[in-house]
Amino acid sequence: MILITGGLGFIGSHVARALLDLGETCVVTRRRTARVPEFLADEAGGRLLVEPVDVTDQDALLALGKRHTVSGIVHLAGAGIGAGGTLDALTENTRGLLSVLRAAEVWEVPRVGIASTIGVYGGVPGDRLREDAPLPTASPHMIPAAKKAMEILALRAAADAGFAVVNFRIAAIWGPLGRAASPFFATPRLVHAAVNGEDPGTLHAEDGIDMCYVKDCGRAIALLQTAGTLRHDTYNVGNGYATTNAEVAAAIRAVVPEARVDLSTGHDPAGPGATVCLDTERIREDTGYRPRYDVERAVADYVAWLRAGNER
């Protein structure tokens, strides 16, 4: 049985779906979210078990191991930087990570997957980002700064405790259960505006990023968690290519012809400039992963999901 912390959240619920599709049984933790997404509801109480556990509570998490035989962990639970501020978020996220690592040691779990981000590459030169690139110490944002620190802590602790940690450097993710707008890329805002008949504002045609549809992201993480042998401790999780706003706009117009999408030429002068993507050679070679959703298929799927009256 694979434990997914934050398993009813945006990415976690899709990881659970992918693991179930691979024949696994999952136990997912929840802290605030109690609703099981409709695409998991048929498995709830059967191969999908839900536990109301705060992973920062070491005793509560260890008690879960007395109720279930956990054979692997995917750690996706985390606190954003909210009203409590940076230090509170860092404290909570560090406590959660250390609690999960201690549980892995006690339960003798062979592999723990840890969510990281494409943002750790901030400041790395080039437009194709590889896992072996030296990462700068400085980060322009607290989230990638924290993720870099968590990667180092997890790998060091696991080496001493005798289990494997795999860091997932995740691209920009979008799709069902995701936010209607992201501060890092325009696609969620464009799709939601098209479905709701709203004006998303003017965007720049050539701005883009490696953005991975959440169903592909979930499957990629599931493949990394269940692979018999992994040759590395860090993997990029993305499409392996950058998608521009112009490509997203074309896909939206094909599905929602009346959508208003205004694009300026070139890049946003205030943005990062050239688009970047993740090198996905490692995950392709070690798991056989290939994305199933190009931008056209992903936009059509997401629009259909939203029009069906799901969360917006």
Side-chain angles (χ1 to χ4, degrees), residues 3 8 11 28 31 44-45 72 80 83 111 114 126-127 139-141 146 199 202 210 242 245 271 273 305:
L3 168 65
L8 292 184
I11 293 177
V28 301
R31 183 175 179 182
R111 181 180 297 162
I114 307 288
D127 57 5
S139 285
H141 193 279
D199 181 359
T202 300
D210 190 327
N245 288 338
W305 188 82

Side-chain angles (χ1 to χ4, degrees), residues 2 8 14 27 56-57 133 141 158 194 199 202 210 232 244 248 267:
I2 296 177
L8 292 184
H14 291 278
V27 55
T56 67
D57 185 335
H141 193 279
D199 181 359
T202 300
D210 190 327
H232 307 280
T244 65
V248 175
H267 292 282

Side-chain angles (χ1 to χ4, degrees), residues 168-179:
F168 311 135
R169 291 181 178 168
I170 301 172
I173 306 301
W174 62 293
L177 299 181
R179 294 179 178 179

Side-chain angles (χ1 to χ4, degrees), residues 164-256:
V165 154
V166 180
N167 291 310
F168 311 135
R169 291 181 178 168
I170 301 172
I173 306 301
W174 62 293
L177 299 181
R179 294 179 178 179
S182 167
F184 304 113
F185 69 125
T187 299
R189 176 160 52 104
L190 285 169
V191 176
H192 280 256
V195 171
N196 295 326
E198 299 169 350
D199 181 359
T202 300
L203 300 162
H204 288 77
E206 297 308 313
D207 285 349
I209 195 171
D210 190 327
M211 58 177 214
C212 181
Y213 198 53
V214 70
K215 293 182 179 181
D216 277 331
C217 176
R219 187 169 58 86
I221 291 174
L223 289 172
L224 285 168
Q225 184 62 36
T226 57
T229 301
L230 292 176
R231 295 179 294 168
H232 307 280
D233 56 33
T234 302
Y235 288 83
N236 288 334
V237 175
N239 281 354
Y241 56 85
T243 302
T244 65
N245 288 338
E247 293 171 303
V248 175
I252 288 173
R253 292 189 186 104
V255 180
V256 189

Side-chain angles (χ1 to χ4, degrees), residues 116-166:
S116 187
T117 172
I118 188 176
V120 301
Y121 291 110
V124 174
D127 57 5
R128 191 165 193 83
L129 306 171
R130 291 176 52 88
E131 295 93 336
D132 56 3
L135 302 182
T137 302
S139 285
H141 193 279
M142 179 50 63
I143 292 175
K147 292 296 187 182
K148 277 189 275 192
M150 299 299 175
E151 285 189 16
I152 295 168
L153 289 173
L155 289 171
R156 182 64 265 162
D160 291 344
F163 58 86
V165 154
V166 180

